Amino acid sequence: MSDNFDVIVIGGGPAGYPAAIRAGQNKLSVACIDEWKNRDGSPAFGGTCLNAGCIPSKALLESSELLHRAQHEFASHGLKLAGLSLDLATMQKRKATIVRQSTLGILTLFKGAGVVPLQGHGRLLAGRKVEFTSHDGTKRSLQAKHVVLASGSEPMPLRGVAFDGERVVDSWGALEFSEVPKRLCVIGAGVIGLELGSVWRRLGAETVVLEALEQLLPMADGQVAKEAARHFRKLGLDIRLGAKVGGAEVRPDGVHVSYTDAKGVQSLVVDRLVVAIGRRPFTAGLLGEGTGVALDERGFIQVDEHCRTGAADVWAVGDCVRGPMLAHKGKEEGVAVADRIAGLYGEVNYRTIPSVIYTAPEIAWVGQTEEQVKASGRPYKTGSFPFAASARARAMEATAGFCKIVADAASDEILGIHVIGPMAGELIAEAVLAMEYSASSEDLQRTMHAHPTLSEAVHEAALAADKRAIDIPNR
Ligand code: FAD
Ligand code: NAD
């Protein structure tokens, strides 16, 4: 096998592996180096997302939501269930199978695109040389015309509180519990805290979520965040805002967590503690001497708007560079870079990155919140449509939430769309497309939506922005 490649990608997560596949599609010779190892020591492509993030969390969210619906909703459908019980081992096995299918699938995709998979550590040296150390310790010196760095991120630890993989865990550990903890504490009411807190709450854990900020979901539209808080409370998630965790100690009777809130120092004893206080870029062992690649003060690899680092023909994409830590953002960057390398046009529209929180109800948005538009001083209008007025949502027994559109008052350009409700993560795709094409709310109003579908909520919200909704009174 040649040691010279047009492109070497270091990192095989959702930013790196699509970059490698697109480079292969562009007829470039390409290798993708990845060092991920699972708990059983087996190597796997797919990075955090496939192995320990997006995919396993969504599998457990789905299973736990089914249990919750069976317990709380089936009766209203006239479905009587006797002897419903949880088999967590089977639930975890199903999750592991989905993960394995997804990660093995990458090897098939690599084969199809002519990507050389290299499992082990990659280290960039000066002059676009790459030192590859396979998992068995064998070293190879590779040379590339272009290098794409996609080394991802890692969970942030809480100062003074070490992960022990058992009682104090990160998000990966929280996906692997073999029994439902009786008392669970999650530090951080961010996306991970809310998703994994929901999983274990639905499966029966008494769950306290401690959040340092005074406001829940400050990045979401205010009305959406308020509605979300109501549903989390209804689920029984005990979210304590303004609660800054200072430390935790593992003792025989449990994990003692201490935090400070408006009333002073508080403490809590739980069986398991999940630390979900954010992630930081991971670049340990990635860069040798004299590469010309620089890190910023927070440890992210410095790049320009085209993902070029300071070193010629060295690029960086995904969680290890600025911007939201999202799989789809990394994927678009990886693909765009592989196209730029091939001399093709590549573009990432950072203004239309969708955010989705896979709780129940689901939360999704794209563009600016009403608060952001208001603060900008731009005259605007809004339109909302509640799922309670959607026939499809009623048929699904899923009437919680609403869709809201924010548009420029003068030009009618859509500035943001916010959904909390059933399948919000799917509904937001239409909003992203609309904003990608700089659509007006009138464009959405004049687009036919099938009946009865949840997507009619997007249509009606757009109509409501001009007080022309049909299925709700206009105010
Ligand atoms: P990673 O996925 O972290 O992949 C980087 C890869 O590079 C890893 O395999 C790593 O081992 C490897 N690597 C690093 N350095 C080297 C080296 N020197 N040599 C060889 N290999 C190396 N995002 C979403 O968009 N939707 C979700 O629903 C979602 N859910 C999530 C749930 C959880 C619990 C977590 C933790 C994250 C979730 N995310 C989600 C975030 C998402 O996982 C990340 O944004 C995404 O994985 C980033 O992709 P990446 O390729 O940049 O990095
Ligand atoms: P986050 O930044 O979303 O939330 C962390 C929260 O912890 C913040 O609200 C912060 O105020 C709080 N916090 C920090 N220190 C604290 C302390 N000492 N005491 C109490 N609270 C404290 O981070 P995350 O939830 O860990 O997620 C990490 C990344 O993973 C995010 O960037 C997210 O984009 C990504 N992710 C995305 C999805 C999705 O797209 N559905 C799902 C999971 C994770």
Side-chain angles (χ1 to χ4, degrees):
M1 191 199 303
S2 166
D3 287 338
N4 291 292
F5 293 91
D6 292 326
V7 182
I8 293 177
V9 181
I10 304 181
Y17 86 76
I21 289 173
R22 176 53 59 87
Q25 289 168 345
N26 288 338
K27 308 278 178 253
L28 299 167
S29 62
V30 52
C32 183
I33 301 176
D34 189 88
E35 67 182 358
W36 186 279
K37 268 192 181 175
N38 283 310
R39 303 204 153 193
D40 61 2
S42 60
F45 279 94
T48 306
C49 175
L50 276 75
N51 290 290
C54 324
I55 304 309
S57 63
K58 267 76 246 179
L60 290 185
L61 278 156
E62 190 66 29
S63 300
S64 60
E65 175 61 5
L66 281 180
L67 175 68
H68 186 78
R69 295 190 71 188
Q71 288 168 333
H72 300 278
E73 281 176 25
F74 278 20
S76 64
H77 288 265
L79 299 173
K80 290 185 183 163
L81 271 181
L84 178 70
S85 65
L86 168 66
D87 173 358
L88 184 58
T90 299
M91 194 180 280
Q92 290 286 26
K93 207 168 142 209
R94 172 185 171 273
K95 177 205 76 183
T97 305
I98 295 164
V99 167
R100 206 168 37 253
Q101 283 166 345
S102 310
T103 57
L104 286 175
I106 294 179
L107 287 173
T108 312
L109 296 174
F110 276 176
K111 205 168 172 199
V115 177
V116 177
L118 295 173
Q119 289 179 300
H121 184 75
R123 183 173 159 87
L124 177 69
L125 306 175
R128 290 181 310 282
K129 284 192 181 354
V130 174
E131 179 190 76
F132 168 64
T133 311
S134 73
H135 284 310
D136 67 11
T138 318
K139 281 192 192 304
R140 265 172 74 185
S141 178
L142 310 175
Q143 177 70 51
K145 291 186 186 144
H146 291 262
V147 174
V148 182
L149 305 173
S151 55
S153 62
E154 61 177 353
M156 217 126 66
L158 186 67
R159 198 177 306 171
V161 182
F163 294 119
D164 64 10
E166 184 62 31
R167 301 228 262 167
V168 181
V169 298
D170 61 12
S171 53
W172 194 6
L175 289 162
E176 299 294 328
F177 291 157
S178 55
E179 57 189 57
V180 179
K182 187 168 172 340
R183 302 164 300 174
L184 176 71
C185 175
V186 182
I187 310 179
V191 195
I192 293 181
L194 293 172
E195 289 186 354
L196 296 186
S198 295
V199 165
W200 293 108
R201 173 66 204 132
R202 290 168 189 161
L203 297 182
E206 288 162 22
T207 306
V208 177
V209 183
L210 299 174
E211 168 56 53
L213 300 176
E214 298 288 347
Q215 196 190 342
L216 183 69
L217 294 175
M219 65 291 202
D221 185 89
Q223 279 179 307
V224 169
K226 214 168 137 197
E227 176 79 359
R230 207 166 64 77
H231 290 284
F232 294 142
R233 258 199 312 275
K234 203 169 145 204
L235 174 65
L237 270 183
D238 179 357
I239 301 176
R240 302 183 190 173
L241 298 174
K244 187 164 171 41
V245 177
E249 201 188 320
V250 179
R251 295 192 205 156
D253 63 335
V255 186
H256 291 239
V257 184
S258 62
Y259 64 96
T260 316
D261 65 11
K263 293 192 200 121
V265 179
Q266 312 281 349
S267 67
L268 190 70
V269 184
V270 290
D271 303 307
R272 305 267 185 147
L273 175 66
V274 179
V275 180
I277 58 170
R279 295 179 62 85
R280 61 186 180 195
F282 177 77
T283 54
L286 177 69
L287 303 171
E289 288 298 307
T291 62
V293 175
L295 304 184
D296 71 14
E297 67 287 352
R298 294 166 62 210
F300 289 96
I301 297 174
Q302 272 181 1
V303 287
D304 67 10
E305 69 274 25
H306 301 295
C307 295
R308 283 192 189 90
T309 69
D313 299 326
V314 178
W315 313 72
V317 295
D319 278 12
C320 65
V321 305
R322 82 287 176 262
M325 288 183 167
L326 294 172
H328 42 281
K329 172 263 192 186
K331 178 182 187 183
E332 292 307 313
E333 287 181 336
V335 166
V337 160
D339 280 343
R340 286 176 194 134
I341 288 172
L344 303 170
Y345 180 72
E347 157 129 22
V348 179
N349 185 352
Y350 290 94
R351 282 169 299 131
T352 55
I353 299 174
S355 297
V356 183
I357 307 176
Y358 297 82
T359 46
E362 219 161 84
I363 301 165
W365 70 90
V366 59
Q368 298 177 67
T369 61
E370 181 174 351
E371 291 75 16
Q372 286 167 335
V373 177
K374 195 179 217 170
S376 74
R378 195 171 180 172
Y380 69 93
K381 57 186 176 182
T382 65
S384 288
F385 185 82
F387 284 103
S390 154
R392 184 64 190 274
R394 283 199 300 268
M396 292 168 68
E397 197 71 26
T399 53
F402 56 85
C403 174
K404 171 175 172 180
I405 184 165
V406 187
D408 186 285
S411 70
D412 195 33
E413 183 187 350
I414 298 169
L415 303 174
I417 297 191
H418 308 270
V419 189
I420 175 165
M423 297 285 168
E426 303 297 328
L427 295 177
I428 208 66
E430 177 183 13
V432 175
L433 190 68
M435 289 191 64
E436 184 65 39
Y437 284 88
S438 306
S440 62
S441 83
E442 187 184 348
D443 290 324
L444 272 187
Q445 292 170 18
R446 293 187 184 278
T447 303
M448 197 182 296
H449 289 70
H451 177 75
T453 60
L454 297 171
S455 70
E456 287 172 295
V458 181
H459 189 211
E460 287 282 326
L463 286 162
D466 284 333
K467 304 202 184 312
R468 289 163 68 83
I470 301 296
D471 290 332
I472 46 163
N474 291 284
R475 275 180 278 126

